[in-house]
Amino acid sequence: MASVLDKLEQSLASKGSNESFHSSHSHQDPISTLSDSANPDLHAAALKAAGLPIFDIDAYLNDPRNQEASPPVKSPAHKKQKLSEDSSSSAPCTPVQLGAPRTSQYVPALHQLCQERGLVATYEIDGDQTGGFAGMVTIGGQTIASEQHWRTKKEAKEGLAELGLPVVREMEAVGRVKGPNGHDKNWVGLLLEYHNATDPLHTQPGPVYTEYSLGIHPLQFAATCTIPSSPSPFGSAELPFSSKKAAIKNAAKGAVQHLISIGELDPNGSPKVGRKIKAGNGAPTVRVEAKGVEVKRDATYAARVNDLAPLLSLPPPLYRLYPASPAAPNLLSGAAHFTGMDAAHHPLLKEPVGEVRNVFGKKNAKEECARGVWEVLRKVAKERGVDVEEVDGE
């Protein structure tokens, strides 16, 4: 071992090292020092002198025994591939429907409807000879039976509840039971009262009811209702009632509830009070007289339009004003628009009305637009036989 170290010292000295071997490697491991040597022969000689085995790395890696001892680790890709192969090898499963499609909406709906009206729904369901179930439901002393058969008791109860819903609605419509608020309303009278309040000159037809006879036994009826302010009818031509009166009452109820939802009627169904826009000393700008309507001459055109439109069964117009140019945001252009079924079919109202261009200020632009709208409404009033006269303010 000493001879090997002597050879290493001589090798370092021959390379021009200014330091001795012991001064530069006094704290290093001899084996690690030898491994840093650039001469492989000296490295091998040092390992042999120390009694350590020498292996050839290439021979070690190519030895089959070493390869078997260290099997390769499978990557996640191998696992995914194997999973895909296993899933493709199995045959696809075909779903089989169990019974008919089911729903569970009618039982809770009937329960809530009966609870609000102080009623109780009693079900009687028994098995039949076909292995299914049939039965009946009793609500407020009235029994609803069906010849239909269901696969399970749950389906039978759901089917009977569906048959009971229109029966409870009919009981309320004919006044046999009270509504959810504790009393039954005169829906037909409320709708007529609204029409008289919004169209005192009767320039438009009132509520129009259409009756239907349903070809089923026993004979039943249905009805729909249309009003000037809505293009869609209320009620149903297919919902059966035992009498025409009940069918018409149901249609009127739908119209009144619609008017309440859009704010045309108070929540109790009565017409709203004080809806007209006031001007000047607080008096309405438009006043109904026996010969027609009188308009305050000093009122603004916007106020005149908002007061006259309801008397003609029209909603107040919508003013849509926008800057004529981004460089001049205070110069506005635009027009007024009327909505509703009556306006959609009138040649003077179905298009934008009172168009203005490049008017300075929003207030001035709206007033100029309302001036054009006012002239159009006067023509509409004349068509409907309503005289519009301007008078001095009182």
Side-chain angles (χ1 to χ4, degrees), residues 194 198 229 255-267 269-273 275:
Y194 165 78
T198 56
S229 60
V256 172
Q257 291 178 339
H258 166 73
L259 294 172
I260 293 175
S261 66
I262 63 176
E264 290 293 320
L265 291 175
D266 286 330
S270 60
K272 289 191 173 182
V273 180
R275 295 175 55 195

Side-chain angles (χ1 to χ4, degrees), residues 113-236:
L113 197 67
C114 292
Q115 191 177 36
E116 292 174 347
R117 289 151 182 81
L119 299 174
V120 177
T122 304
Y123 299 90
E124 296 182 14
I125 303 174
D126 297 314
D128 54 18
Q129 298 177 352
T130 64
F133 295 87
M136 61 185 67
V137 59
T138 303
I139 306 172
Q142 183 172 344
T143 300
I144 303 99
S146 174
E147 298 180 357
Q148 185 175 352
H149 300 271
W150 291 276
R151 190 175 60 90
T152 64
K153 284 187 176 181
K154 187 174 182 179
E155 292 180 4
K157 187 175 182 180
E158 185 71 13
L160 292 172
E162 182 180 3
L163 298 176
L165 283 172
V167 175
V168 177
R169 295 192 182 101
E170 182 177 351
M171 290 179 178
E172 181 183 354
V174 298
R176 288 183 53 189
V177 296
K178 296 181 179 181
N181 54 4
H183 60 87
D184 188 45
K185 295 182 179 180
N186 182 7
W187 302 106
V188 176
L190 289 175
L191 191 58
L192 184 60
E193 184 181 359
Y194 165 78
H195 174 70
N196 292 334
T198 56
D199 187 16
L201 301 178
H202 299 286
T203 60
Q204 292 290 309
V208 178
Y209 297 94
T210 304
E211 302 171 356
Y212 301 89
S213 175
L214 303 181
I216 55 179
H217 183 76
L219 184 62
Q220 294 182 312
F221 303 92
T224 59
C225 173
T226 57
I227 56 178
S229 60
S230 177
S232 302
F234 300 94
S236 173

